[in-house]
Amino acid sequence: MEFAWTAEQDAYRQKLKTTIEELLPDNWTTDIAPHSYGSKEQIEYSRTFCAQLAERGLLVQQWPSEYGGGDGDPWQQWILAEEMMLAGEPRGPQYMNVNWIGPALMAHGTPEQKAEHLARIASGKVVWCQGFSEPGGGSDLAGMKTKAERQEDGSYLINGSKIWTSYSPFADYCFLLARTGEQKKAISIFLIPMSLKGIEVHTFPGLVGKGHLNQVYFTDVVVPESMRMGEEGQAWPIITYALRFERVSVARFHIGRKVLDRCVAQLQAEGRFSDTAVRVRAGRIAALLEAGRLLSYYVIDQRVKQGSDDVNGNIARVSVSAATMELQAFIMDYVPDALTGGDYVINEFFRANLSSTIAAGAYEVQLNLIAHGALNLPRS
Ligand SMILES: Cc1cc2nc3c(=O)[nH]c(=O)nc-3n(C[C@H](O)[C@H](O)[C@H](O)COP(=O)(O)OP(=O)(O)OC[C@H]3O[C@@H](n4cnc5c(N)ncnc54)[C@H](O)[C@@H]3O)c2cc1C
């Protein structure tokens, strides 16, 4: 693995920084970003921002040109993720479209599905949600209960419910998993418009950032066969691909470092950073974030060179989560005023990461996968 950025990658990062600065409106830090990236305000703004990025060829630069991209260096997707995270993720939920929904469609969609969705995603005007987790449990996807039953005319009738479906109140489409058979893993993928009759979204309050706590109900929703992606009951490899990308695609360590620096700046300004105990903890968190960064880069390097990552993706995810947890404890101990109206960047980071050990796969499940996949320990 090469540890330095190339001149082209540095230039691309600089171009992104300049563009972000040019595009973000004056009220970004006062009226939009403090609501969090899953909020109505930020999702609505993402439709403007991503369309502007797309016009400048910066939204899906690393996609193949046949799908509206620029055949760019695969690392550009990662640099984009870092710079967007640093700016407060003005793409809102559209990071998912760029990172894995689009690529999954390229690999597994029918020509009609590609024609319908990829140009729209590349235009930066469409919001997706991900309907995987259910009230009965998110870790055990094979235990899924939402059913898609074949009708005589070939269409499916979908009944069930999904929970935690981030962005669903404002999404145009759902990347939905549903059971199409009795065997444990007989699951299929449907790409459905959220406007279909029989879909209802209920939002409930909670501590984590806005936009995540939703339950989506599907009652006799009629879905044509043309909306199924991949063969019936054969969704598993696509799910595995999606989950891998989800685990290491959000540059949490990057925003973590910005948040740590802001905490330290506040402590210095208040004359509290001379305390050795505080300095040791801040130094330890900086080292943990750096370890998370390098492990994540290692995973991206594997993806670029081999097309996929292995258990290193789980290791990188656990490492970044551990760093995030320590940073949260630091905020709570030393800059708690940020949680009640102080620095909104610290506040938003704290709230958004309250669930960082659950979202995109529970921490303990990741540890099990590492125990088995990296340490060769027996499963029981
Ligand atoms: C902010 C946020 C946003 C989310 N957005 C989405 C979304 O958009 N779409 C979506 O589909 N889902 C989403 N999720 C759901 C997320 O994927 C699930 O929360 C996660 O998969 C865990 O599932 P669960 O909450 O049902 O917990 P469970 O699977 O019920 O697990 C509960 C506890 O049991 C432990 N556990 C479970 N199985 C094992 C095991 N095999 N070994 C060891 N311990 C185990 C877990 O560690 C956990 O502590 C989101 C979650 C959060 C927090």
Side-chain angles (χ1 to χ4, degrees):
M1 181 172 131
E2 173 59 62
F3 280 92
W5 298 108
T6 63
E8 289 78 19
Q9 287 165 341
D10 279 337
Y12 174 72
R13 189 186 289 280
Q14 196 45 52
K15 189 171 169 187
L16 280 175
K17 280 185 188 297
T18 314
T19 306
I20 292 168
E21 218 174 287
E22 264 172 44
L23 293 181
L24 288 185
D26 292 343
N27 66 344
W28 169 249
T29 56
T30 50
D31 300 336
I32 305 175
H35 290 285
S36 101
Y37 66 90
S39 66
K40 182 169 185 271
E41 291 81 355
Q42 202 151 327
I43 291 178
E44 275 173 4
Y45 175 64
S46 82
R47 294 178 196 269
T48 304
F49 180 81
C50 289
Q52 289 170 326
L53 270 191
E55 273 165 26
R56 293 169 186 229
L58 291 170
L59 182 66
V60 291
Q61 166 68 15
Q62 72 291 348
W63 280 17
S65 46
E66 66 173 306
Y67 300 124
D71 292 322
D73 164 12
W75 277 94
Q76 286 179 338
Q77 178 162 333
W78 189 256
I79 298 170
L80 183 72
E82 288 189 348
E83 291 307 316
M84 290 297 151
M85 202 55 169
L86 217 51
E89 194 48 281
R91 293 176 301 172
Q94 293 196 49
Y95 70 91
M96 287 199 316
N97 313 359
V98 175
N99 287 349
W100 63 265
I101 296 179
L105 266 155
M106 288 172 211
H108 304 281
T110 61
E112 294 74 24
Q113 288 167 345
K114 289 182 194 175
E116 182 184 351
H117 295 297
L118 289 174
R120 219 175 275 183
I121 292 177
S123 76
K125 291 180 188 153
V126 66
V127 171
W128 283 74
C129 63
Q130 171 194 330
F132 288 16
S133 307
E134 297 197 353
S139 304
D140 179 20
L141 283 179
M144 175 174 305
K145 296 212 166 38
T146 296
K147 266 192 185 162
E149 289 169 300
R150 272 272 202 187
Q151 306 300 288
E152 275 179 10
D153 65 358
S155 66
Y156 292 87
L157 197 63
I158 300 192
N159 278 288
S161 102
K162 297 285 169 179
I163 202 159
W164 280 111
T165 324
S166 303
Y167 329 122
S168 52
F170 314 108
D172 306 298
Y173 288 92
C174 181
F175 192 101
L176 178 74
L177 303 185
R179 172 165 296 294
T180 41
E182 295 308 318
Q183 294 126 309
K184 230 175 169 257
K185 289 200 171 177
I187 290 171
S188 302
I189 296 172
F190 298 91
L191 310 174
I192 60 167
M194 287 297 281
S195 56
L196 288 184
K197 195 163 165 264
I199 301 180
E200 256 183 68
V201 181
H202 292 210
T203 296
F204 43 95
L207 274 178
V208 291
K210 285 184 203 165
H212 301 292
L213 294 172
N214 309 293
Q215 186 159 0
V216 185
Y217 295 89
F218 298 86
T219 311
D220 292 338
V221 180
V222 179
V223 172
E225 187 182 8
S226 59
M227 289 182 187
R228 192 193 70 226
M229 186 165 88
E231 295 301 314
E232 186 177 285
Q234 302 294 317
W236 217 250
I238 308 176
I239 299 172
T240 310
Y241 169 89
L243 291 177
R244 283 205 170 287
F245 268 75
E246 226 199 358
R247 265 170 217 145
V248 182
S249 66
V250 177
R252 283 202 179 81
F253 57 79
H254 210 59
I255 181 71
R257 183 57 208 240
K258 175 174 169 177
V259 166
L260 177 65
D261 289 347
R262 285 173 90 111
C263 292
V264 168
Q266 184 174 330
L267 290 167
Q268 279 172 326
E270 293 167 3
R272 293 195 288 142
F273 198 62
S274 48
D275 182 335
T276 310
V278 180
R279 296 169 76 90
V280 166
R281 271 187 67 188
R284 180 179 151 79
I285 296 166
L288 284 170
L289 289 169
E290 203 48 32
R293 174 192 306 280
L294 293 177
L295 284 164
S296 301
Y297 286 180
Y298 183 63
V299 171
I300 307 299
D301 191 57
Q302 262 195 319
R303 282 182 194 163
V304 170
K305 290 182 179 149
Q306 300 162 23
S308 79
D309 52 275
D310 48 28
V311 72
N312 291 310
N314 307 100
I315 296 173
R317 160 125 173 82
V318 159
S319 160
V320 175
S321 295
T324 304
M325 282 191 282
E326 290 232 10
L327 180 50
Q328 284 193 304
F330 186 81
I331 294 169
M332 191 65 116
D333 289 344
Y334 298 114
V335 283
D337 57 320
L339 308 180
T340 52
D343 186 334
Y344 90 85
V345 175
I346 302 177
N347 182 315
E348 165 56 9
F349 176 86
F350 187 89
R351 282 186 303 120
N353 286 290
L354 276 173
S355 58
S356 67
T357 55
I358 305 169
Y363 190 81
E364 295 76 9
V365 175
Q366 305 301 312
L367 290 178
N368 275 348
L369 292 169
I370 294 167
H372 181 67
L375 304 175
N376 289 322
L377 292 174
R379 283 197 188 271
S380 56

